[in-house]
Amino acid sequence: MSTAPLATPPADTDDARAATRESLEDYTLRFAPRSYRRWGPAVVATSALGGIAYLADFSIGANIGIAHGTVNAVLGIGVAAVIIFVTGFPLAYYAARYNIDLDLITRGAGFGYYGSVVTNIVFATFTFIFFALEGSIMAQGLELGLGIPRPVGYAVSTLMIIPLVIYGMKILAKLQVWTTPLWLLLMVIPLVYLVATHPASVSQFFDYRGATGSGSPDLASVMLAAGVCLSLMAQIAEQIDYLRFMPPRTEANRRAWWTAVVMAGPGWVVFGALKQAIGLFIAVYIIANLDPAASATANEPVHQFLGVYSEMMPAWLAMTLAVVLVVISQIKINVTNAYSGSLAWTNSFTRITGTYPGRLVFVIVNLGIALALMEANMFDVLNTILGFYANCAMAWVVTVATDIGINKYLLKISPEAPEFRRGMLYAINPVGFVSMLASAVASIAVFFGTFGPGVQPYSPIVAVGLAVVLPPVLALATRGRYYLRRSDDGIAIPMVDADGNPSDVRLRCCVTGLDFERPDMIASARTGADGKPLFISSLALATDRGGDHVLPADPPAPGTAGAITSTAAVARTGQTAPDPVPASGT
């Protein structure tokens, strides 16, 4: 650690302070501190599950069913759901336990400080693709119900989201909790009505063969269907944007905590799979009973629900409820898409440039891209877009899950506690970075038929298989040397409390002058004018363009000036150390 005093603040201090002020609402780029996490497990879980209110599942289920038949579609949905649940569990646990988003988890799970930027781009792509999909569905509803031209409807569905995502989690939590009961009621009524009043619809559903289906299971068709469903794998990142605000896990709330993490984490896919099956069920009913030529619009949720509502109630009320359902669903998911996408873009931009332009800038960027996709009518080529994207999503999520499950807990090569702070990590860790790129490139090549049509349907197997095999192989080959640039963060205060939760001890940031909780802090490479250690928040360090505060790769030798007890040693012995920089309120 340098002993040179920091005489004047760096030029980027204003950037750090501006970033900190804005991020106090949504904790962009940051660990979510205990002082902000005031919601109970049930509220966090309800907010997270409110984000899966999207109607895209109904379109996806109808599309794959119309293409491959009910049997193959349902099997594909099941295969995708199992993969998504298994890979999503360790990610959800890490987010809830350590209160960090998937980007921060990815950094320490084999990618490195800058290496995870590529996964941020993958995730941002997910958010604007699905924003465009949901916006298209809303525009369909507005056109059908109110006669608004689709291009205008696309703009309306985009612009109305902007004011709702400015203030982050506090507003999103209220919105999701308040709207969920009505959404559930409007979604469940059609299924209950059809099963109760048209029991033959069940047998019609299972007998439906689709455009190419034979009525019996076909592995290639199952994998093609699963590939489309697996495009939703990156949804776990949006669930985590809520789960990172879980309260500390204690003996008193242990059961409620685990229930919320499982239900709102990997459990989202159970609800997603059910929606896909319901979407196909309603589409088959419409095609078989209402209009044989309806396959052209049977994949559009507004037509699906309008078709069933029209048999239950007067036409005007059916139309009203169908439009209300579409609007509520679009708002519930697209506030999450816009919010999470802006976080992903901001994370990447700030790390690369050291400049924080404000999250609202990237809300506009993300929504602008989504609007362009809508105007290009991406809905008509939905299966192709989602099938292609699925390969990138699987490569990323499965690589991170493998690093956590195998490299951290089984091989114990990767450090068990997630690390995300600049200076503690190498710029790029080849274990995750290379694994993800290799599995994505190989599976995309298979998807586009590079190795022949016989292999083409199996791109999901290639993506998942390589993402499971490569991380442990590369971790063993590199002997884990690229995981940590430093093993000591320079602060002699334990990282966790007696319950194993991130500590809420607060330290003063030498750049912003604000107090931050222990997991968000790291020692600065500079010392104060009196020679005492200085500490800096991870956010301020991200905007340190000159690198003045970044600790050197090698820890100081014991007994040298500025050397202090290692964090690891303090955590092992339970020793505590006084706060060398007093923090207000502590």
Side-chain angles (χ1 to χ4, degrees):
M1 183 182 299
S2 169
T3 57
L6 185 61
T8 58
D12 47 9
T13 296
D14 289 342
D15 273 342
R17 289 174 177 164
T20 301
R21 282 195 298 271
E22 178 173 303
S23 73
L24 289 177
E25 175 58 42
D26 53 39
Y27 292 91
T28 310
L29 307 170
R30 291 180 53 197
F31 158 81
R34 190 181 304 192
S35 59
Y36 183 78
R37 294 181 277 114
R38 300 301 186 185
W39 300 276
V43 172
V44 175
T46 302
S47 300
L49 288 174
I52 65 164
Y54 52 84
L55 296 180
D57 274 329
F58 293 91
S59 293
I60 290 171
N63 276 326
I64 61 176
I66 291 172
H68 306 293
T70 294
V71 172
N72 293 315
V74 170
L75 289 174
I77 290 169
V79 168
V82 170
I83 294 174
I84 291 174
F85 188 94
V86 171
T87 57
F89 179 81
L91 277 59
Y93 168 73
Y94 260 57
R97 185 62 166 158
Y98 296 103
N99 311 112
I100 53 179
D101 66 14
L102 189 49
D103 171 60
L104 271 58
I105 294 172
T106 299
R107 294 182 196 180
F111 282 77
Y113 184 74
Y114 291 107
S116 68
V117 168
V118 68
T119 66
N120 260 359
I121 295 172
V122 170
F123 179 47
T125 302
F126 171 86
T127 63
F128 65 64
I129 285 176
F130 280 88
F131 188 105
L133 178 54
E134 289 299 317
S136 297
I137 292 172
M138 180 173 173
Q140 293 163 4
L142 295 177
E143 181 182 48
L144 185 65
L146 303 177
I148 297 175
R150 287 199 188 186
V152 177
Y154 296 149
V156 170
S157 66
T158 301
L159 295 175
M160 68 185 299
I161 297 299
I162 295 175
L164 297 175
V165 296
I166 293 176
Y167 295 105
M169 177 64 180
K170 290 180 180 178
I171 297 299
L172 297 186
K174 293 178 181 179
L175 174 69
Q176 302 294 13
V177 171
W178 290 347
T179 56
T180 294
L182 177 59
W183 172 80
L184 281 172
L185 183 65
L186 292 175
M187 188 189 75
V188 171
I189 286 177
L191 179 65
V192 174
Y193 172 80
L194 288 181
V195 173
T197 61
H198 297 77
S201 61
V202 177
S203 59
Q204 289 174 341
F205 171 67
F206 286 107
D207 291 339
Y208 183 66
R209 299 187 176 187
T212 60
S214 62
S216 57
D218 174 74
L219 183 58
S221 295
V222 170
M223 294 312 301
L224 286 171
V228 175
C229 298
L230 283 167
S231 64
L232 294 165
M233 181 172 278
Q235 177 63 33
I236 189 63
E238 293 197 347
Q239 302 305 113
I240 282 173
D241 278 340
Y242 290 97
L243 287 178
R244 65 192 175 120
F245 295 110
M246 283 286 288
R249 189 186 72 188
T250 63
E251 285 301 317
N253 72 356
R254 188 179 187 87
R255 178 174 295 183
W257 192 93
W258 272 112
T259 300
V261 170
V262 174
M263 290 284 291
W268 78 265
V269 76
V270 176
F271 301 98
L274 288 173
K275 289 194 295 173
Q276 290 163 13
I278 293 172
L280 176 56
F281 182 84
I282 296 176
V284 170
Y285 174 79
I286 290 174
I287 293 170
N289 298 282
L290 300 184
D291 182 3
S295 57
T297 57
N299 65 340
E300 297 181 4
V302 65
H303 286 279
Q304 293 175 355
F305 286 95
L306 178 60
V308 181
Y309 286 152
S310 296
E311 295 199 348
M312 300 169 55
M313 57 193 71
W316 66 269
L317 182 57
M319 179 66 74
T320 300
L321 291 182
V323 173
V324 168
L325 174 61
V326 167
V327 172
I328 289 178
S329 299
Q330 192 269 347
I331 291 175
K332 284 173 71 65
I333 182 56
N334 270 353
V335 292
T336 301
N337 281 329
Y339 173 65
S340 296
S342 67
L343 294 182
W345 285 120
T346 305
N347 270 320
S348 300
F349 187 87
T350 301
R351 251 179 301 164
I352 292 172
T353 67
T355 302
Y356 187 91
R359 184 171 60 81
L360 182 58
V361 171
F362 288 104
V363 170
I364 303 300
V365 169
N366 218 43
L367 269 55
I369 298 172
L371 181 58
L373 284 177
M374 284 187 268
E375 298 292 355
N377 200 21
M378 58 89 70
F379 197 86
D380 286 349
V381 289
L382 180 62
N383 276 9
T384 301
I385 291 176
L386 297 184
F388 163 75
Y389 176 77
N391 296 284
C392 300
M394 287 184 288
W396 166 36
V397 174
V398 177
T399 294
V400 176
T402 300
D403 193 86
I404 293 174
I406 296 179
N407 293 355
K408 291 185 185 298
Y409 283 92
L410 184 61
L411 299 178
K412 298 188 182 302
I413 295 177
S414 176
E416 183 175 320
E419 181 57 75
F420 60 89
R421 295 164 298 173
R422 181 182 178 188
M424 297 298 292
L425 297 168
Y426 283 97
I428 295 177
N429 185 344
V431 174
F433 189 78
V434 173
S435 297
M436 184 236 172
L437 289 182
S439 56
V441 170
S443 59
I444 289 171
V446 172
F447 177 79
F448 283 111
T450 302
F451 302 101
V455 182
Q456 192 170 10
Y458 304 104
S459 65
I461 295 178
V462 174
V464 172
L466 288 176
V468 169
V469 172
L470 289 178
V473 169
L474 290 175
L476 290 170
T478 60
R479 291 180 289 184
R481 61 173 295 189
Y482 296 104
Y483 278 100
L484 289 178
R485 181 174 172 268
R486 289 180 59 90
S487 59
D488 176 9
D489 69 359
I491 303 178
I493 298 174
M495 187 72 79
V496 298
D497 62 17
D499 291 316
N501 296 299
S503 171
D504 62 350
V505 173
R506 301 172 72 188
L507 299 168
R508 180 69 49 80
C509 174
C510 65
V511 173
T512 64
L514 300 175
D515 300 335
F516 297 86
E517 292 183 10
R518 168 66 179 90
D520 213 18
M521 297 294 288
I522 186 171
S524 169
R526 308 299 297 271
T527 57
D530 55 2
K532 291 184 177 180
L534 296 175
F535 304 104
I536 184 171
S537 70
S538 62
L539 180 60
L541 195 58
T543 58
D544 177 18
R545 292 191 290 274
D548 294 330
H549 294 278
V550 179
L551 292 170
D554 296 323
T560 60
I564 58 178
T565 307
S566 76
T567 302
V570 172
R572 283 196 302 270
T573 62
Q575 172 190 357
T576 59
D579 183 354
V581 180
S584 61
T586 60

